[in-house]
Amino acid sequence: QVTLVESGGGLVQAGGSLRLSCAASGSGYAMGWFRQAPGKNREFVATVSWKGIYTYYADSVKGRFTFSRDQAKNTVYLQMNSLKPEDTAIYYCAAGMTWGARIGSEYVYWGQGTQVTVSS
């Protein structure tokens, strides 16, 4: 059993930045970020491999978001720059066994989510 705890969400103006953190109680997993906006389905944002060497991003965030991990702290980070109102959503951290997974069902453990709101 792995517990994931996200933090770092908040309210920011368009063009601003936020950094989300996700602390894991265990290690050895590929990690992913997903988001869900009101009235919309959950969507994939980014994923990072177990050692943090490989990353993959959704087209909608590529070039603006950076996913990194600190293995010593069992923590992953999502640096979000040039935020847009359409980035407003609850962001969820997830852990799984498959690197590169972009489907939520391929992740085993989920955090409680953190709200990101981008005002125009």
Side-chain angles (χ1 to χ4, degrees):
Q1 184 73 19
V2 175
T3 301
L4 304 174
V5 179
E6 301 105 330
S7 61
L11 173 64
V12 64
Q13 289 188 330
S17 298
L18 282 175
R19 189 177 81 155
L20 305 183
S21 300
C22 175
S25 62
S27 59
Y29 295 90
M31 301 294 291
W33 284 99
F34 289 76
R35 66 186 182 186
Q36 188 166 18
K40 295 188 177 181
N41 292 329
R42 180 177 60 192
E43 67 170 343
F44 167 79
V45 175
T47 183
V48 67
S49 61
W50 151 227
K51 292 187 176 181
I53 297 174
Y54 304 105
T55 54
Y56 185 84
Y57 300 92
D59 288 343
S60 58
V61 305
K62 198 173 296 182
R64 299 188 297 122
F65 289 12
T66 302
F67 197 174
S68 61
R69 71 188 303 165
D70 184 332
Q71 285 186 272
K73 296 181 178 180
N74 283 341
T75 300
V76 296
Y77 306 95
L78 186 67
Q79 178 66 44
M80 306 186 295
N81 298 329
S82 302
L83 283 162
K84 306 175 181 180
E86 50 264 43
D87 293 318
T88 295
I90 298 175
Y91 283 70
Y92 297 92
C93 174
M97 301 305 295
T98 305
W99 143 243
R102 284 166 275 173
I103 301 173
S105 59
E106 296 193 49
Y107 289 85
V108 180
Y109 303 105
W110 292 82
Q112 81 287 353
T114 186
Q115 176 71 48
V116 171
T117 303
V118 184
S119 62
S120 57

